[in-house]
Amino acid sequence: MGQIYNSYYWDEFNSNNPNEQKLKQIYNYISRLSSMSQISIDRAKKTFAINPRREWDKLSKDPIIQRREVLRPSNILTRKTDEETQSLIAHVKALQAELTQAEEAAEILDPVAKQLALRNARKKYNMEKDKLLQVKVKKQVKPLFFKDNSVDNGCIFEHFKTPMDYVYDVVERFPNAKRRPKTIDFWELLIPAPKNKAQSEIKKDVVMAANSLRQHQQMYQKMKKAAYESQNTDDCEKMKENIQSVFEETVSYIRSKKMSQATMYNLICRAYGKQTGAHKRDANLIDCDTKKLLLNLLAAAHPDLFYSCFKHETNLVQA
């Protein structure tokens, strides 16, 4: 619901003539939804006078969320008065009688003409019946990015002037990954391996730095957990700062290394588990979190060099 209201907010904000009063009202609703989310989380520990579900129902029915009348075939005669129900039944019976007459009239025709006459009669019957049973229903208007993940058929999806719908437009240009003839292997994203030799000492230093950082992070995480459980807020914040500080120090250390593209390429391959000449010496680089950490360190320390190891062809995504 918060995402829907955010989408309506940005759609109004980016319109040719935004309504300030409407923007304030939507912003107020977004704040209320955020507060209700926190209340719902905390209800396991304490009680509140507010019923989040009741408030959510009110906001879901607010006129700000557009609803549009559309025609929809209805196979059931519910939510109608007895008079309306009987009228519909009478009309359907009349159509069925017309179909029966047409079928009887077709019996005297030759086989080809009979088949054509029956097909036309049944088609007319189905069209008239569907038209008769169409009812007007109101559907909620949602932004496009809800479309792929929505299981609600009672919605109309339209383009909103909201960031997520612009992202949706870009993503829709590419074929669905599940429908691609083949999946893309990670190694297809890399450029051909550089011919010059990687710097073994720098590789060793970087791998050791990644392992050392991982060990420090694990140590600080345990200390932070202990501080949290003992409700020591100061120590908990201090451990958070230590985790960030040791990461920044490691990035600075790797940045000081004058690394070649071949060395960077080799380290990326190691992080993804591809066999390299020094693969056996990476016995300590087996932890998945350490491998992900190594990639983060490389991208943060030498971003240009890191991305130079990847192809820049858009047709890879369209494969």
Side-chain angles (χ1 to χ4, degrees):
M1 183 60 64
Q3 286 182 319
I4 293 173
Y5 270 109
N6 264 299
S7 299
Y8 273 95
Y9 179 90
W10 288 110
D11 192 60
E12 181 66 27
F13 182 86
N14 292 315
S15 64
N16 293 330
N17 187 24
N19 185 322
E20 291 295 329
Q21 189 63 32
K22 186 177 180 181
L23 287 173
K24 287 180 181 178
Q25 187 179 3
I26 298 174
Y27 188 82
N28 176 268
Y29 288 169
I30 294 169
S31 299
R32 285 168 62 183
L33 285 164
S34 178
S35 299
M36 283 191 287
S37 174
Q38 296 301 316
I39 288 172
S40 297
I41 293 169
D42 290 342
R43 285 181 80 184
K45 297 177 286 185
K46 57 184 83 170
T47 58
F48 297 88
I50 299 171
N51 185 327
R53 182 68 194 184
R54 190 178 301 151
E55 294 297 317
W56 185 90
D57 286 340
K58 286 180 184 177
L59 291 177
S60 68
K61 296 172 184 176
D62 193 276
I64 283 178
I65 298 180
Q66 296 177 25
R67 285 168 178 78
R68 194 165 302 137
E69 280 193 344
V70 293
L71 289 174
R72 184 182 68 183
S74 175
N75 296 322
I76 53 175
L77 304 177
T78 58
R79 297 184 183 178
K80 295 184 181 298
T81 64
D82 290 341
E83 187 178 345
E84 289 174 328
T85 302
Q86 292 303 319
S87 176
L88 278 173
I89 292 173
H91 278 89
V92 171
K93 283 184 176 180
L95 289 173
Q96 289 173 337
E98 289 178 16
L99 176 62
T100 302
Q101 290 177 2
E103 288 174 338
E104 290 173 353
E107 288 297 328
I108 61 173
L109 302 174
D110 63 83
V112 177
K114 176 184 175 182
Q115 187 177 8
L116 181 61
L118 287 173
R119 186 188 304 159
N120 290 336
R122 287 165 185 164
K123 183 178 178 181
K124 180 183 176 182
Y125 166 76
N126 287 325
M127 286 178 64
E128 291 293 329
K129 187 186 72 170
D130 287 344
K131 185 178 178 181
L132 181 66
L133 294 179
Q134 275 186 335
V135 293
K136 284 187 176 181
V137 292
K138 285 189 176 182
K139 288 191 174 185
Q140 193 179 88
V141 181
K142 290 184 178 179
L144 278 178
F145 73 91
F146 272 82
K147 189 174 182 180
D148 289 341
N149 298 318
S150 180
V151 293
D152 186 2
N153 294 324
C155 299
I156 299 171
F157 300 100
E158 292 184 356
H159 189 281
F160 279 53
K161 294 175 182 176
T162 187
M164 283 301 295
D165 265 9
Y166 292 119
V167 172
Y168 182 89
D169 290 342
V170 174
V171 173
E172 277 294 287
R173 297 174 194 169
F174 303 112
N176 191 312
K178 293 180 181 178
R179 300 184 193 129
R180 288 178 186 154
K182 73 179 192 70
T183 57
I184 301 172
D185 191 80
F186 171 76
W187 311 112
E188 295 179 56
L189 301 175
L190 292 175
I191 62 172
K195 294 182 180 179
N196 52 318
K197 193 175 180 181
Q199 301 147 294
S200 57
E201 286 301 316
I202 291 181
K203 287 191 296 181
K204 182 180 177 182
D205 289 347
V206 171
V207 171
M208 288 178 63
N211 280 311
S212 176
L213 173 60
R214 180 61 183 155
Q215 290 169 7
H216 278 83
Q217 284 183 334
Q218 288 175 325
M219 178 184 70
Y220 289 134
Q221 288 285 4
K222 287 180 181 177
M223 294 170 70
K224 188 183 83 169
K225 184 179 178 182
Y228 178 81
E229 289 174 350
S230 62
Q231 297 184 349
N232 191 331
T233 309
D234 292 339
D235 281 357
C236 190
E237 290 301 318
K238 186 178 178 181
M239 291 307 110
K240 286 182 183 178
E241 292 172 5
N242 288 342
I243 292 170
Q244 183 61 29
S245 177
V246 73
F247 178 83
E248 292 173 357
E249 287 173 9
T250 309
V251 169
S252 297
Y253 173 75
I254 295 175
R255 190 176 289 140
S256 68
K257 303 290 181 182
K258 294 185 178 179
M259 196 182 298
S260 67
Q261 187 184 48
T263 305
M264 176 66 76
Y265 188 93
N266 186 282
L267 286 167
I268 292 172
C269 289
R270 288 191 193 194
Y272 271 88
K274 190 172 184 178
Q275 295 285 345
T276 64
H279 187 71
K280 291 181 180 179
R281 294 201 293 273
D282 292 341
N284 294 327
L285 197 65
I286 55 174
D287 181 76
C288 284
D289 289 328
T290 307
K291 290 179 178 181
K292 288 187 282 187
L293 186 59
L294 174 60
L295 286 173
N296 287 336
L297 288 168
L298 293 172
H302 298 286
D304 293 340
L305 191 60
F306 180 83
Y307 292 113
S308 73
C309 295
F310 293 87
K311 296 175 182 176
H312 295 91
E313 302 165 19
T314 56
N315 60 349
L316 282 170
V317 184
Q318 298 172 351

